[in-house]
Amino acid sequence: AQTVTQSQPEMSVQEAETVTLSCTYDTSESNYYLFWYKQPPSRQMILVIRQEAYKQQNATENRFSVNFQKAAKSFSLKISDSQLGDTAMYFCAFMKTALEETSGSRLTFGEGTQLTVNP
Amino acid sequence: KAGVTQTPRYLIKTRGQQVTLSCSPISGHRSVSWYQQTPGQGLQFLFEYFSETQRNKGNFPGRFSGRQFSNSRSEMNVSTLELGDSALYLCASSPRRWGLSYEQYFGPGTRLTVT
């Protein structure tokens, strides 16, 4: 079974600054995906960024980037130039790669980090 | 493209009743998964449906069931409701294309309150 741990329940950052959210995971799988989702007060879960475990290059999506350390089983999210709209709960999630197309899949989530961006 | 839709958005039920929640995936997506979100347990996987078949199931009692129709729409049913079933129920759809993408896109959720 996989576990995902987010050790920072709450974080805050000033607008325009950079913040890094931590995530570690435990798995015996070698092929998997990692994701960061954000859930603002509206409760709509939004996909922020994804990383395939076989890729060494860290994923980047505009102001969002990850630091993926496979050996250390670490997957942190860096948010640059923080904006007020980034205020949300952020979830790190793991999904193992299915062996075949019809195999089941599921996301395993961490506990979440509540990020507040202050003006 | 329209996103994942869930109906109803809010629901209040009494203990012992049953409830059915509905989810329409993004057009072209073949997989629908359901998750339960509570303050105490966080986000927990319920089940996944793909091509009208349950492919994966979480650790929930048999009172929780689901199905998927030929148009990929899915329903989730909870029978004999308990107070602990109060939660936000999230549906997620995925393209489920082998070698391409398994990322999941979530709907707005159904807030179920059991009294």
Side-chain angles (χ1 to χ4, degrees):
Chain A
Q2 287 70 231
T3 59
V4 178
T5 302
Q6 294 178 248
S7 58
Q8 306 151 313
E10 297 180 1
M11 293 189 73
S12 63
V13 64
Q14 293 299 122
E15 201 174 3
E17 292 187 346
T18 296
V19 64
T20 299
L21 280 56
S22 302
C23 172
T24 58
Y25 59 95
D26 188 24
T27 184
S28 58
E29 304 288 337
S30 55
N31 296 311
Y32 49 87
Y33 296 94
L34 293 163
F35 304 90
W36 278 99
Y37 283 87
K38 66 180 277 189
Q39 189 178 41
S42 67
R43 306 297 264 171
Q44 173 76 55
M45 192 78 79
I46 300 164
L47 176 62
V48 174
I49 198 166
R50 79 167 194 174
Q51 174 81 42
E52 291 92 335
Y54 68 87
K55 289 187 177 178
Q56 291 187 333
Q57 186 173 6
N58 289 323
T60 300
E61 288 286 343
N62 300 314
R63 299 181 295 106
F64 299 88
S65 62
V66 299
N67 183 5
F68 174 49
Q69 302 290 325
K70 191 172 184 179
K73 295 181 181 172
S74 169
F75 183 61
S76 61
L77 174 70
K78 185 171 85 169
I79 306 174
S80 304
D81 186 26
S82 297
Q83 300 176 359
L84 296 178
D86 295 333
T87 292
M89 181 74 85
Y90 286 79
F91 292 97
C92 177
F94 172 101
M95 177 189 289
K96 73 175 182 179
T97 303
L99 294 177
E100 53 187 43
E101 192 174 53
T102 54
S103 298
S105 65
R106 70 169 74 182
L107 286 167
T108 300
F109 288 91
E111 308 90 335
T113 295
Q114 175 63 49
L115 176 67
T116 302
V117 180
N118 299 307
Chain B
K1 242 185 211 183
V4 179
T5 58
Q6 292 186 245
T7 57
R9 294 291 312 279
Y10 302 91
L11 208 48
I12 300 175
K13 289 287 189 178
T14 304
R15 262 183 308 176
Q17 289 185 316
Q18 74 164 22
V19 66
T20 299
L21 312 183
S22 180
C23 173
S24 293
I26 293 169
S27 178
H29 284 197
R30 305 188 294 169
S31 163
V32 173
S33 298
W34 290 88
Y35 296 85
Q36 181 196 65
Q37 185 176 25
T38 60
Q41 300 297 317
L43 281 151
Q44 293 187 291
F45 171 77
L46 280 155
F47 28 66
E48 181 205 16
Y49 285 88
F50 173 68
S51 292
E52 301 176 61
T53 301
Q54 188 180 90
R55 304 291 176 171
N56 207 349
K57 189 177 191 303
N59 189 25
F60 278 82
R63 300 185 297 106
F64 292 81
S65 63
R67 59 178 176 168
Q68 186 181 35
F69 302 95
S70 58
N71 62 358
S72 293
R73 190 177 70 85
S74 176
E75 287 182 348
M76 184 192 115
N77 185 76
V78 188
S79 62
T80 319
L81 284 165
E82 299 177 0
L83 294 178
D85 297 333
S86 295
L88 180 68
Y89 289 88
L90 293 166
C91 165
S93 78
S94 171
R96 216 38 162 81
R97 299 282 178 198
W98 175 244
L100 292 178
S101 172
Y102 278 74
E103 58 217 34
Q104 298 189 359
Y105 298 89
F106 285 80
T110 294
R111 168 72 65 186
L112 171 65
T113 301
V114 182
T115 62

